[in-house]
Amino acid sequence: MRLAVIGAATLILTSCSDGEPGKGSAAGLAPSAAGSQVLAAADLPRVKPGEWEVRTTEDGGAVDVVRQCVEADEAEILPTGSDDCPAKISKAGGVYTVESTCPSDGYVSHTRMTMSGDFQRRYAGELELAVSAAGGEVSRYKQRMEARFIGPCS
């Protein structure tokens, strides 16, 4: 099972089907760091296979804690986009950033995910999502996460 906290960003980055991918502004999301290095999907970190405890907080709400077993073939934790909704992947210092802008069914979603850590024992990150409607209405969502490696899957 892929880490649940990444599910929202993966869904957003892979579900776009209409319009021109990559067009539009970031609707108020923080821009990429200057001097960042552009990466290919193959350059992204993979987490150590095994059991992970992931703590998430959505928009400052209550903390949700889940434990998940990550198999070796599921160790990619950052979404990489899709053919019709490509993602810009970069790294500045020790922070990986994945960004996309995807039009779909009258809406435009702007997604930005940042992750840092050693990905073998710990990692932390943030997901920001802004969805713009045709009338200019914008909905925002923010999720923070921290994960730590527990050990082999039980």
Side-chain angles (χ1 to χ4, degrees):
M1 173 188 291
R2 195 171 274 252
L3 298 176
V5 69
I6 307 308
T10 302
L11 178 65
I12 292 160
L13 290 172
T14 60
S15 67
C16 301
S17 61
D18 299 323
E20 294 180 62
K23 298 290 182 189
S25 69
L29 298 184
S32 296
S36 62
Q37 168 187 6
V38 177
L39 301 176
D43 298 324
L44 290 173
R46 297 174 61 85
V47 297
K48 182 177 185 174
E51 187 173 3
W52 285 83
E53 179 184 85
V54 182
R55 303 170 71 82
T56 60
T57 306
E58 296 179 10
D59 290 326
V63 175
D64 186 30
V65 180
V66 294
R67 284 193 174 196
Q68 295 179 313
C69 179
V70 178
E71 302 293 334
D73 64 338
E74 301 172 322
E76 295 175 353
I77 62 165
L78 287 165
T80 57
S82 64
D83 289 341
D84 58 351
C85 186
K88 176 185 168 194
I89 304 167
S90 61
K91 181 181 179 186
V95 179
Y96 293 88
T97 302
V98 179
E99 297 175 283
S100 72
T101 299
C102 303
S104 180
D105 299 326
Y107 296 90
V108 178
S109 64
H110 309 279
T111 307
R112 182 172 192 270
M113 177 176 258
T114 58
M115 300 287 271
S116 62
D118 65 15
F119 301 95
Q120 300 302 298
R121 294 180 315 247
R122 295 190 175 278
Y123 68 85
E126 186 171 279
L127 168 66
E128 294 176 84
L129 169 65
V131 179
S132 304
E137 195 175 306
V138 177
S139 297
R140 297 181 190 284
Y141 170 84
K142 185 181 267 190
Q143 181 181 65
R144 288 189 170 86
M145 67 209 82
E146 292 182 4
R148 68 180 181 98
F149 184 74
I150 302 298
C153 294
S154 43

